[in-house]
Amino acid sequence: MLGGWPAMGYRRRRLPNVLRRNAAASILLLIVAACGEGHAAAADAARADSVALARQDSVSRAQPAYVIDSILPMQEQLRRFRFGLDTVSRLQSPATSSASLVGAFAASLAHADTAALLRLAVSRAEFAWLVYPDSPLSAPPYQQAIDIAWLRHAAASSSGLARLLNRIGGQALHLQSWHCAKQPTIEGSNRVWGDCVVTFVVGGAEPATLGLFSSIIERQGRFKILSYANGF
């Protein structure tokens, strides 16, 4: 189902460097509104992740009834994590195919449209209601507290998206092909297509092949980017 698709070009006047840097940094502020998590961007990915984790933890702990203890029963962990989140029963995405999702991703990146890129990725509510309960992290032997699982997931995805915006956001982007794993990983009602790789050209540069996002999730005929963790 996933695989290469015809080369498509997305052109936009290249943003000045300072604006691209501001866009990369401001993504973390937008995530506060979109996902309920606070992040701080930094050029060094490792530093960005550690700062993001610290801020996310402080934001989470400030929410009423949000204290989570990994020794609590799973249903209680879920109840506390979902406190204040909208209930969702399906992925909030208009993409009904992987091709349409990747096309929207490429167009949004070429326009440096941070808000659109955030909408294409799994939100905290979707993680709480749809992703985590069906993942191996929700049960032994891989069980991990949902708040820790989300913090790690969100930190890797948000810092990856910040790097995408900083490196190639707002530039003329031409996607030549892309592919993910031939077979998905089945996690309950979710189908996760990993190992995603894109061959693309930015401006007049030579073609590059890189993972611009790590995986795509499919659920009930809807598709979203699971994580923006990437090769930059």
Side-chain angles (χ1 to χ4, degrees):
M1 185 175 295
L2 297 184
W5 53 295
M8 301 178 67
Y10 301 90
R11 297 189 175 276
R12 172 117 177 151
R13 180 174 60 83
R14 182 169 180 172
L15 295 176
N17 287 338
V18 64
L19 292 182
R20 292 197 294 118
R21 286 195 297 268
N22 287 345
S26 64
I27 175 180
L28 281 300
L29 296 178
L30 288 173
I31 289 175
V32 173
C35 301
E37 299 293 334
H39 298 277
D44 187 325
R47 178 176 180 277
D49 288 351
S50 63
V51 172
L53 284 169
R55 291 202 172 189
Q56 286 176 325
D57 184 64
S58 64
V59 170
S60 299
R61 292 174 186 277
Q63 298 182 26
Y66 190 69
V67 177
I68 294 179
D69 190 326
S70 59
I71 66 173
L72 291 173
M74 181 55 62
Q75 287 304 312
E76 179 61 15
Q77 289 189 46
L78 289 171
R79 185 191 70 79
R80 296 187 183 199
F81 186 83
R82 290 166 175 170
F83 180 83
L85 297 176
D86 291 336
T87 302
V88 293
S89 59
R90 63 185 301 178
L91 292 176
Q92 305 300 294
S93 172
T96 56
S97 70
S98 56
S100 63
L101 175 66
V102 175
F105 161 77
S108 299
L109 185 58
H111 287 74
D113 190 338
T114 303
L117 289 165
L118 287 172
R119 288 193 297 270
L120 294 175
V122 165
S123 69
R124 180 173 160 181
E126 290 166 331
F127 185 87
W129 291 96
L130 309 177
V131 178
Y132 176 84
D134 281 352
S135 80
L137 296 179
S138 65
Y142 306 108
Q143 186 170 339
Q144 185 177 97
I146 185 173
D147 58 334
I148 299 301
W150 169 251
L151 289 176
R152 292 178 174 175
H153 171 87
S157 187
S158 61
S159 61
L161 183 49
R163 291 195 295 272
L164 277 179
L165 287 167
N166 185 54
R167 299 290 186 87
I168 58 177
Q171 303 183 56
L173 180 64
H174 183 77
L175 267 64
Q176 295 186 336
S177 64
W178 67 277
H179 67 271
C180 297
K182 292 183 179 180
Q183 296 296 327
T185 299
I186 307 300
E187 298 181 358
S189 298
N190 301 321
R191 293 154 61 91
V192 179
W193 306 82
D195 302 324
C196 298
V197 177
V198 178
T199 299
F200 62 97
V201 175
V202 176
E206 293 295 316
T209 299
L210 200 66
L212 300 184
F213 49 87
S214 66
S215 51
I216 291 174
I217 183 170
E218 173 192 356
R219 185 184 178 99
Q220 299 174 326
R222 299 286 173 170
F223 294 75
K224 266 199 161 185
I225 290 174
L226 181 58
S227 174
Y228 280 118
N230 57 65
F232 280 124

